[in-house]
Amino acid sequence: MSHNLDIQQFKADFFKALAHPLRIKILEILAQGDKSVNEILELLELEGSAVSQQLSILRSKNIVIGNKEGNRVIYSLRDPAIIELLSVAKKIFNNHLIDTITILDKVNEMKS
């Protein structure tokens, strides 16, 4: 029983670590390949402190890893399965969106 609770706690902590739009965006960027902080900043068009803070949280939860190369740190996803997770989340979002559009279409048909 405690093993199941451990897994549930891991999942809860894992999803908590993902529960921020900027962290999700960083993961989507890293899903396309390893990037330095400067490359992430350029793609996000943001200033450094917010991105560094979010990268630090992702690192502390072992979701991303940072490897020093010279004077820069290159970030990568610790587990490529995160790419699949983001893809599944997008599918769920799209299904939800399609359901919402279908309901709105039905409502609009009833009005006309």
Side-chain angles (χ1 to χ4, degrees), residues 22 25-27 29-30 33-59 64-76:
L22 184 51
K25 188 66 187 150
I26 290 169
L27 294 177
I29 287 170
L30 293 176
D34 300 355
K35 301 269 184 293
S36 70
V37 177
N38 285 342
E39 290 171 318
I40 295 169
L41 287 171
E42 283 174 28
L43 291 165
L44 290 172
E45 299 175 353
L46 289 172
E47 95 284 355
S49 61
V51 172
S52 293
Q53 183 183 11
Q54 301 310 327
L55 279 167
S56 175
I57 291 167
L58 291 169
R59 234 185 19 242
V64 302
I65 48 177
N67 292 310
K68 215 154 171 46
E69 285 185 12
N71 61 351
R72 12 181 251 160
V73 178
I74 304 298
Y75 284 93
S76 57

Side-chain angles (χ1 to χ4, degrees), residues 5 7 9-10 31 33 65-66 69-71 81 91 107 109 111:
L5 287 175
I7 290 173
Q9 187 60 55
F10 169 81
I65 48 177
E69 285 185 12
N71 61 351
K91 284 180 192 162
V107 167
E109 284 172 15
K111 286 181 181 177

Side-chain angles (χ1 to χ4, degrees), residues 89-106:
K90 189 173 183 178
K91 284 180 192 162
I92 292 168
F93 172 79
N94 287 338
N95 290 342
H96 178 73
L97 197 59
I98 289 166
D99 290 347
T100 303
I101 290 168
T102 303
I103 291 166
L104 289 174
D105 285 347
K106 287 179 181 172

